[in-house]
Amino acid sequence: MTTVHPMLTLSDEVATALAAGQPVVALESTIISHGMPYPRNVETALAVEATVREEGAVPATIAVLAGRACVGLTPAQISYLGKSGLAVPKLSRRDLPLALANAGNGATTVAATMILAARAGVEVFATGGIGGVHRGAEQTFDVSADLQELAQTNVAVICAGAKAILDLPKTLEYLETHGVPVVGFGTDDLPGFYTTSTGLGVDFRADSVAQIAELMRAKWDFGLHGGVLVANPVPQDQALDPNRVDAAIAQAIAEAHAQAISGKEATPFLLARVKDLTGGDSLETNIALIKNNARLAAGIAAARQAQR
Ligand code: PSU
Ligand code: MN
């Protein structure tokens, strides 16, 4: 383990890869603890790491353990997060100092993973779906800290779009206001996580990893801080029927309202209900799209290293 800061530890594998200029892909941990049920969550997290390795990059799963931000976890640490599930604190930017101050543990969201990846020197991060502007945000003000992080932290986030538990047009408006380019990989249409398209456009279409690496280079070399959001559609044969997904989401949101679920509980509640209401199928789609994103992220990380 390499301690780069009293509160930040890199695994040997990640530290060695970064020092050697090898491609590294960051992976979040809230998706493990709060995004999927045990034991599929642990199996998936390990399989996603294996996918990154097969593509020639080094995986860096990120979490806070015993008050240290850890970039690169052991399989035992990943199992602990997956087994503990909702008992592990979900850490976004707001929550990081508390966990660091109190020798706490926690799973990092997209926002917190971006922060820690950037601190460690990792520029490419693969996840499933990002947080965004929730439906009804004009009343609740529920806007994920993921969007604010994309506005300011220099990491490319590879996702499968965003789930329609969010208000997708408002999410795109927020990203535009904050200067975050939304890139469709091989598509002009924003993918909808379980579905390949939403009917909403992306800002740019890229058909190669080199094009994405070039956009990152141009943005950051010119001093334009903030992330790049790459939306990679789920493979068509793994996608779900949009009508089925929409019905499940509508019901999940109605239940959240009825139970007055808000704040950091909102997203995990909605994710779990959508999963239950679509049967096991949505979990299989979720796993397929994360692996698909990990593969693309490894390619982007390699293309970025090839520029140097
Ligand atoms: N959306 C998904 N799957 C997820 C999440 C969001 O489709 O697992 C998780 C991610 O960790 C994301 C977080 O960063 O939820 C957003 O939570 P909030 O809306 O409370 O910021
Ligand atoms: Mn929120």
Side-chain angles (χ1 to χ4, degrees), residues 32-194:
I32 305 174
S33 57
H34 290 64
M36 285 186 195
Y38 180 79
R40 295 303 298 282
N41 55 1
V42 174
E43 288 164 24
T44 302
L46 296 174
V48 168
E49 287 206 337
T51 301
V52 170
R53 286 201 174 89
E54 277 160 28
E55 298 298 316
V58 168
T61 303
I62 294 180
V64 176
L65 296 166
R68 283 179 179 233
C70 297
V71 177
L73 301 186
T74 64
Q77 289 170 329
I78 288 174
S79 293
Y80 160 76
L81 293 169
K83 268 190 195 152
S84 307
L86 300 183
V88 173
K90 169 185 162 186
L91 309 180
S92 196
R93 172 180 274 269
R94 182 261 321 251
D95 313 291
L96 276 178
L98 195 74
L100 295 172
N102 295 333
N105 295 329
T108 49
T109 63
V110 168
T113 303
M114 288 179 74
I115 294 168
L116 301 178
R119 287 296 162 89
V122 180
E123 292 180 330
V124 181
F125 163 23
T127 186
I130 60 159
V133 179
H134 279 257
R135 294 196 201 173
E138 59 275 26
Q139 253 90 48
T140 63
F141 267 50
D142 190 348
V143 177
S144 174
D146 293 353
L147 297 186
Q148 187 55 35
E149 210 56 53
L150 281 161
Q152 60 180 321
T153 298
N154 295 10
V155 171
V157 178
I158 320 309
C159 68
K163 286 196 181 90
I165 59 170
L166 303 174
D167 185 322
L168 298 175
K170 286 195 183 70
T171 299
L172 290 176
E173 290 291 350
Y174 189 105
L175 291 167
E176 179 189 355
T177 300
H178 291 273
V180 181
V182 179
V183 181
F185 187 69
T187 181
D188 297 297
D189 203 307
L190 181 72
F193 195 87
Y194 295 125

Side-chain angles (χ1 to χ4, degrees), residues 160 190-198 233-234 239-243 245 285:
L190 181 72
F193 195 87
Y194 295 125
T195 58
T196 55
S197 80
T198 56
V234 63
L240 295 184
D241 170 27
N243 295 324
V245 174
T285 301

